[in-house]
Amino acid sequence: MSAVLDNHGHAHDPRDHHGGYGGIMRWVTTTNHKDIGTLYLWFSLIMFMVGGVMALVIRAELFQPGLQIVDPDFFNQMTTMHGLIMVFGAIMPAFVGFANWQIPMMIGAPDMAFARMNNWSFWILPFAASLLVLSFFMPGGAPGVGWTLYAPLTVQMGIGMDLTIFAVHLLGMSSIMGSINILTTILNMRAPGMTLMRMPMFVWTWLITAYLLVATMPVLAGAVTMTLSDRHFGTSFFNAAGGGDPVLYQHIFWFFGHPEVYIIALPAFGVISQVIPAFSRKPLFGYASMVSATTGIAILSFIVWAHHMYTAGMPVAGQLFFMYATLLIAVPTGVKVFNWLATMWHGSLTFETPMLFALGFLFLFTLGGFTGLVLSLVPVDIQLHDTYYVVAHFHYVMVAGALFAAFAGVYFWLPKWIGRMYDETLAKWHFWLTMIFFNVTFFVQHFAGLAGMPRRIPDYPLMFETWNKISSIGAFGFGFAQLLFLYVVLKAIRSGEKAPARPWEGADSIDWTMLPTPAPYHTFETPPVIEEGP
Amino acid sequence: MLKKLALGVLLLALCGLAMAAEWNLQPAASKIAEDIHGLHEWVMALVTFIFVGVFGFMFWSIYAHRKSVGHKAANFHENVAVEVAWTVVPLIILVVIAWPVTKTVIAQKDTSNADITIKVTGIQWKWGYDYLKGEGEGISFISTLATPRDQIEGRAPKGEHYLLEVDNEMVVPVGKKVRVLTTAADVIHSWWVPAFGAKQDAIPGFVRDLWFKAKKTGTFRSQCVELCGKDHGFMPIVVRVVSADDYTGWVAAQKKIAAAVADDPNRSYGLDELKARGEKVYAANCVGCHQATGKGVPRAFPALDGSKLVRGPKNEQLALVLNGKPGTAMAAFGKQLSDLELAAVVTFTRNAWSNRAGEAIQPSEVKALRK
């Protein structure tokens, strides 16, 4: 195998590495997919911390009934910005970071297809994030309308709302450019012999996700532009007095918003589909059915959006259609879960941290899937809509789903990226603390929701006090556990043990088998020839 | 040993907690709510069964197929029969789930043949109730949070129905089909009574409907469930279900009160009388944004104390309060308050804190401005 190792053996000219720049300018001007992947990942981690602090402000206020720490207006700003920052600033960029690092190495390409556009798609993000944060300092503060930005509440907001709208525009542009880049790279730059059905599952999930992004981000941009125009240019898209309809906004938003759930979930499925076979020492079960299940989920995700709107009022035929379509999604999702379990079945399992996070994902994501099934039923949803049950449900999918998968990905690929191992003991602590405190925080929210606690309230009736206390304690534990993650990553970078060429014996995609560890700055400048697939 | 003991105590404490706190759907008081509970319990039982089964497999793998116990990996990665089975079986389970649910969906949507029709209007941040049809036709009132600010801000102990109490409760007779039309004056709100399994967004400019038929008498409490701005958490919904006789009595009493308190717009009121009334109106309608101190919230809600507008010509201030300020949280109170209440609250703001107009505004002046 070493014969095909792309060892990048020629003389080390620094210009060759970093485009002639050092220091900060290296990062500003870089067109290297690995540098850009790193930028995405650090950006995402910073946003994760910022959004996390906002979550802790929310949980601190909710620790006991009454208003103690923040006023209701600021509370609403916190829930809004926590949601926007976590979805658009933390989770999405994290998976784009993985895509940048891994896709070229997994398909045998030297870099992304549009290297300069890649640089631009990243560097838009810090500006978008700054706009979001700046909105706090505008008259009236940041918008307090929830991350869904429902009209016509948005029309009442101050200038912070406009900054948020522009931030969403920028984030959308970044995502669309990133997706076009990923699509083009996957479709055009695969090494000879790397047929579509030989690609690692992570690449497949990103191929489908990129299509979803290209299809839905413009829809979101349209929705917020209509809001902007209602606010300032006298239109009435969402104003009944001028012939518009506030519910129209919800339809447009969720036509983006539901596929968005899978934009976040599918790359997470991809990471899990790399990790579980590696630590089971057994090929992924049902590769072809995984591909069809992923495609099926993506297609179905376009016809279920109104299940977020059962209480907005729609005809009985509409409610039934969206309920049946939503139930259908359980089938391909179930196929994926069964495939992962069958991959483990009669494997030779070990439980390093990436595997622990993958198992945590599998267990808790399925739990979130089941509460999703409960919520898909119209009468039950009408009872639970806009309560903490929904909050618990989507945190099981977004945190235990996407975030756990992101942690699994970082621990799995970190040795390949930096050539050093993380501290396994501390990383396992990170897993167990995260796992335990996640459940302390969010499991009890199911009960509060069932008992009738609405979402997005800064103060609550006395009967919900117990659950909120437990949840707040869990949230602070969860928050501090993430500082441990930061420490583990920094420690690995500074003083981690040198990683062997193949630290995970079961990992068999070409980034592990054909490249040295750490991966050199330029890889696969000569395309490898692929003779077999997974 | 000690560790085990501590763990046991902790588990017991958690169990006790679960008993003490509300952890399930509120007791049902209507057929639809009972159906919802039944569906929820049935689906929960089903998914728990599947969950245990599926993850039994996972934990068996984790237990038996570990490398550390010397398990060698098999190499299978396909099995058409199994794959077809785990696609088709869930599909069948879904059909089994969907069938009873469909019946409830259709029943829940059938708002025809109501005995009483009531329009509910979501207003930032209170509810308006108008009895449109059936016994009690013509009754109309606004329902506002009755919990004192002192309890919210922690200066007084919190009462039993903290945040779930209102000045005017919606009253309906037991066993009668009540159709509720929801709409809103400003932004989207959502009206919900968990005990009836009834929830419907209130959308400005549109009318939606729901229905319920209470099976028993009692007071049922809930809150707005759609984020509607600053005081979203402070606009409760309270429905009191009474017997048919009590309802007839309540309707009669309401009509009498309405006649008695019908303010005579031509009467002239003294300054102190208006200020006292105005302070109450202020506490119910204005204090959320403009604060008890009249200082507002910097950069969000303007101060009234020392404000140019409040110290300026009275008609300008009256016009703003009557018509609101579009694009802000300042509502058009002309639709919500009577001439007397408006005169009183404006008089109050012009004579409170450091404002010293020393002049009373009469309801007749408000009436004149309304045209």
Side-chain angles (χ1 to χ4, degrees), chain A residues 158-469:
Chain A
I159 201 169
M161 187 72 230
D162 302 315
L163 296 198
T164 303
I165 289 172
F166 292 138
V168 170
H169 280 146
L170 290 180
L171 292 163
M173 281 188 230
S174 160
S175 284
I176 291 170
M177 285 192 286
S179 312
I180 290 173
N181 213 343
I182 287 167
L183 284 173
T184 316
T185 309
I186 297 174
L187 294 179
N188 292 302
M189 295 179 64
R190 278 168 289 124
M194 178 61 82
T195 58
L196 284 174
M197 290 307 273
R198 282 179 179 175
M199 296 193 307
M201 193 50 60
F202 177 73
V203 182
W204 255 114
T205 56
W206 248 116
L207 177 64
I208 293 162
T209 305
Y211 274 113
L212 286 181
L213 275 165
V214 172
T216 60
M217 288 316 277
V219 179
L220 175 66
V224 295
T225 309
M226 287 155 96
T227 304
L228 187 76
S229 152
D230 268 13
R231 282 170 57 78
H232 296 295
F233 310 133
T235 56
S236 298
F237 291 112
F238 310 130
N239 176 7
D245 184 349
V247 178
L248 173 66
Y249 175 85
Q250 299 181 16
H251 281 291
I252 303 173
F253 178 84
W254 286 112
F255 189 81
F256 146 81
H258 201 78
E260 167 73 11
V261 174
Y262 295 100
I263 287 168
I264 288 171
L266 293 182
F269 293 168
V271 174
I272 299 302
S273 302
Q274 299 304 127
V275 171
I276 287 183
F279 294 92
S280 303
R281 291 162 183 76
K282 203 165 144 271
L284 182 66
F285 187 89
Y287 178 91
S289 74
M290 275 307 212
V291 173
S292 6
T294 312
T295 316
I297 291 173
I299 292 168
L300 284 174
S301 77
F302 281 108
I303 57 163
V304 299
W305 76 91
H307 70 211
H308 297 268
M309 303 167 52
Y310 287 149
T311 66
M314 72 177 92
V316 75
Q319 290 191 329
L320 290 176
F321 170 81
F322 285 107
M323 176 171 82
Y324 298 150
T326 306
L327 284 170
L328 269 184
I329 287 199
V331 175
T333 315
V335 166
K336 298 195 84 110
V337 172
F338 297 138
N339 278 336
W340 288 320
L341 292 177
T343 307
M344 288 164 61
W345 190 249
H346 282 281
S348 177
L349 304 180
T350 53
F351 303 98
E352 290 87 344
T353 312
M355 184 62 164
L356 288 179
F357 270 107
L359 295 177
F361 164 92
L362 197 51
F363 192 65
L364 298 179
F365 180 82
T366 306
L367 213 157
F370 279 134
T371 55
L373 190 71
V374 171
L375 285 170
S376 73
L377 309 173
V378 175
V380 183
D381 179 80
I382 286 180
Q383 189 72 320
L384 297 174
H385 179 75
D386 265 330
T387 67
Y388 261 81
Y389 192 90
V390 176
V391 176
H393 159 69
F394 69 71
H395 281 94
Y396 268 79
V397 180
M398 293 285 147
V399 181
L403 182 66
F404 275 35
F407 285 142
V410 170
Y411 287 119
F412 185 55
W413 284 315
L414 200 61
K416 173 61 53 185
W417 299 340
I418 62 173
R420 292 171 186 273
M421 297 303 289
Y422 58 87
D423 184 325
E424 190 68 53
T425 313
L426 284 180
K428 280 189 170 149
W429 269 99
H430 172 231
F431 167 74
W432 283 109
L433 290 174
T434 302
M435 181 79 180
I436 290 166
F437 283 119
F438 170 79
N439 284 293
V440 174
T441 311
F442 292 109
F443 200 75
V444 292
Q445 292 184 357
H446 290 113
F447 301 133
L450 285 169
M453 179 168 166
R455 295 170 72 173
R456 296 166 169 169
I457 52 173
D459 189 5
Y460 50 84
L462 303 179
M463 61 181 167
F464 306 126
E465 185 173 2
T466 312
W467 305 129
N468 279 287
K469 276 216 155 61

Side-chain angles (χ1 to χ4, degrees), chain A residues 37-53:
Chain A
T38 305
L39 286 170
Y40 267 108
L41 288 166
W42 278 114
F43 174 80
S44 145
L45 188 60
I46 293 166
M47 286 293 114
F48 175 55
M49 297 289 170
V50 173
V53 169

Side-chain angles (χ1 to χ4, degrees), chain A residues 67 76 137 140 156 286 311-312 314 324 327 346-349 382-383 385-386 451 456 459 466-467 505, chain B residues 17 22 26 65 67 71 73-74 77 94 102 109 124 152 162 192 194 199-201 208 225-226 229 232 299:
Chain A
L67 295 176
N76 289 343
F137 303 97
Q156 288 186 352
T311 66
M314 72 177 92
Y324 298 150
L327 284 170
H346 282 281
S348 177
L349 304 180
I382 286 180
Q383 189 72 320
H385 179 75
D386 265 330
R456 296 166 169 169
D459 189 5
T466 312
W467 305 129
E505 63 175 333
Chain B
L17 244 157
E22 303 286 342
Q26 294 180 14
H65 305 145
K67 194 186 179 196
H71 197 272
H77 55 86
L94 290 180
T102 303
K109 270 283 172 190
Q124 282 174 321
I152 296 169
Y162 178 70
W192 182 34
K199 182 187 286 163
Q200 175 61 55
D201 291 356
R208 303 278 203 259
V225 276
E226 179 66 58
H232 162 53
R299 297 191 307 168

Side-chain angles (χ1 to χ4, degrees), chain B residues 131-184:
Chain B
Y131 288 59
L132 296 185
K133 233 170 131 185
E135 196 183 351
E137 192 175 321
I139 294 176
S140 169
F141 54 85
I142 297 229
S143 174
T144 314
L145 178 75
T147 304
R149 273 327 275 187
D150 281 354
Q151 290 189 16
I152 296 169
E153 280 155 19
R155 289 187 301 269
K158 295 180 182 18
E160 185 194 354
H161 296 302
Y162 178 70
L163 296 190
L164 294 175
E165 49 202 346
V166 293
D167 51 358
N168 298 307
E169 294 163 351
M170 172 180 174
V171 177
V172 293
V174 70
K176 293 270 196 257
K177 185 166 184 175
V178 179
R179 181 177 178 220
V180 173
L181 306 177
T182 66
T183 187

